[in-house]
Amino acid sequence: MFFRAYNPNASLSDFVENFWAYSFNSVRLRERIFPSGTFELVFNLHDNQIRIYEGVQSNAFQRYSGAVISGPHAGPIVTDTTLESSVMGVHFKPGGAFPFLGVDADELRGRHTDLEVIWGRAAISLRERLCETASVQRRFRLLEQFLKTRLRFQRHSAVVLSLPTFGRTRLQMTRELAHDARLSEKRFIEVFRREVGVNPRLLTRICRFQGILARTAQSGTLNWAEIALDHGYFDQSHLIRDFLAFSGFSPAEYLRRVKHLRNCGMHAKFNHLPLAE
């Protein structure tokens, strides 16, 4: 499997976490992707289609074009990777996609949308140019230059000020964030959801879950009770409930599957879990 990531230059670094590309030849029927509280652009450079299953246990799927924007989700999604031997995309930071979209972020929450619906013919042309470009680095630069032309909308100052506080261990108190932004709590939530796509409490829970995933990737021996306290959960059962909600697995089952993949020599991107059969 080939995987490469590219960090954006300074003009996009406030909005984009990274650009990524991967290709593989091994048989992988499905891949579970966990919520990150962010938007993702995905381009299938091999086939002009992307398949997303309707549920983690469902065999039914929706077919999209080869250029898709995925809004923030509150649970795991499952993609069909059999046709995705060459894929690349953009992983936005929370709230980072809004200035490029031209639509409210919460309109795309929990949805996958053909990019043509958002950007028209420009989305089709972009995918065609990416397919015609042989070098991965040139593809990254092409995508980066395109995004610069789509940077047309400014974010509300309340969103810009509040986003750096997320990812900490304690749940962010909406009333505190609203007070700091000099907005009513109701107005703050409206603005936040419009530009980020999820409410502040859900984003904090997702960021905390992401912290747990990062910790599991760094250590082979884990004390779940200690981890729960370190990350601001009430107790271990609270951690398990959130882990199940966001991944569809218990922490123990998740680790068992990751260990099995490693023993088989399979590589998984962070926040993804291949479900090889």
Side-chain angles (χ1 to χ4, degrees):
M1 175 178 175
F2 168 87
F3 174 77
R4 185 171 297 175
Y6 168 76
N7 294 326
N9 63 26
S11 63
L12 295 180
S13 60
D14 287 342
F15 314 101
V16 174
E17 186 70 38
N18 59 50
F19 300 86
W20 54 266
Y22 77 88
S23 59
F24 57 86
N25 297 316
S26 60
V27 176
R28 247 183 225 178
L29 297 183
R30 302 186 189 186
E31 189 168 67
R32 190 172 296 191
I33 305 173
F34 306 137
S36 61
T38 65
F39 279 79
E40 200 92 18
L41 290 184
V42 183
F43 299 89
N44 186 346
L45 306 182
H46 179 72
D47 285 279
N48 192 20
Q49 64 172 303
I50 292 173
R51 296 176 184 173
I52 305 292
Y53 285 89
E54 295 180 358
V56 294
Q57 302 298 332
S58 175
N59 289 320
F61 60 83
Q62 292 288 330
R63 184 181 283 110
Y64 301 89
S65 74
V68 165
I69 184 164
S70 179
H73 285 69
I77 62 174
V78 179
T79 181
D80 184 335
T81 64
T82 54
L83 301 177
E84 299 177 6
S85 60
S86 179
V87 185
M88 71 177 303
V90 181
H91 182 62
F92 287 96
K93 294 181 177 180
F98 173 78
F100 304 88
L101 295 178
V103 298
D104 291 353
D106 57 355
E107 291 184 17
L108 304 178
R109 181 178 66 252
R111 294 172 49 191
H112 307 279
T113 305
D114 287 341
L115 195 55
E116 183 183 3
V117 175
I118 307 298
W119 287 341
R121 175 64 198 178
I124 299 175
S125 176
L126 173 60
R127 180 185 174 275
E128 291 174 347
R129 292 172 65 195
L130 290 171
C131 290
E132 295 167 357
T133 303
S135 164
V136 174
Q137 288 298 328
R138 288 180 180 176
R139 287 173 176 168
F140 284 148
R141 288 194 290 270
L142 173 61
L143 195 48
E144 186 175 48
Q145 289 301 318
F146 179 85
L147 281 184
K148 289 179 182 179
T149 69
R150 307 301 303 191
L151 184 55
R152 301 173 181 175
F153 305 93
Q154 291 191 350
R155 295 184 291 182
H156 195 287
S157 59
V159 176
V160 175
L161 291 173
S162 64
L163 282 173
T165 69
F166 290 84
R168 299 175 184 174
T169 56
R170 75 180 186 94
L171 284 174
Q172 300 304 306
M173 300 300 294
T174 305
R175 62 178 176 271
E176 295 177 6
L177 296 173
H179 179 269
D180 292 342
R182 298 183 179 180
L183 296 175
S184 69
E185 187 172 354
K186 180 180 179 181
R187 177 57 179 159
F188 175 78
I189 293 174
E190 289 175 350
V191 170
F192 195 92
R193 290 186 61 168
R194 175 175 179 264
E195 298 192 8
V196 180
V198 297
N199 63 48
R201 182 177 179 84
L202 178 57
L203 180 60
T204 298
R205 289 178 59 217
I206 291 174
C207 288
R208 189 165 58 178
F209 164 73
Q210 289 288 320
I212 298 294
L213 285 183
R215 189 156 174 176
T216 61
Q218 297 170 358
S219 175
T221 303
L222 299 169
N223 182 323
W224 290 110
E226 178 181 312
I227 291 174
L229 293 176
D230 288 348
H231 286 266
Y233 292 95
F234 295 122
D235 51 30
Q236 186 173 338
S237 62
H238 183 201
L239 181 155
I240 293 172
R241 287 196 300 272
D242 259 18
F243 205 100
L244 278 168
F246 293 134
S247 73
F249 298 118
S250 70
E253 173 65 8
Y254 170 75
L255 286 179
R256 186 190 69 78
R257 288 175 175 267
V258 169
K259 183 177 180 180
H260 173 71
L261 290 172
R262 290 171 179 168
N263 290 339
C264 293
M266 295 181 68
H267 173 80
K269 291 195 300 175
F270 179 74
N271 209 49
H272 291 228
L273 186 67
L275 305 175
E277 298 182 6

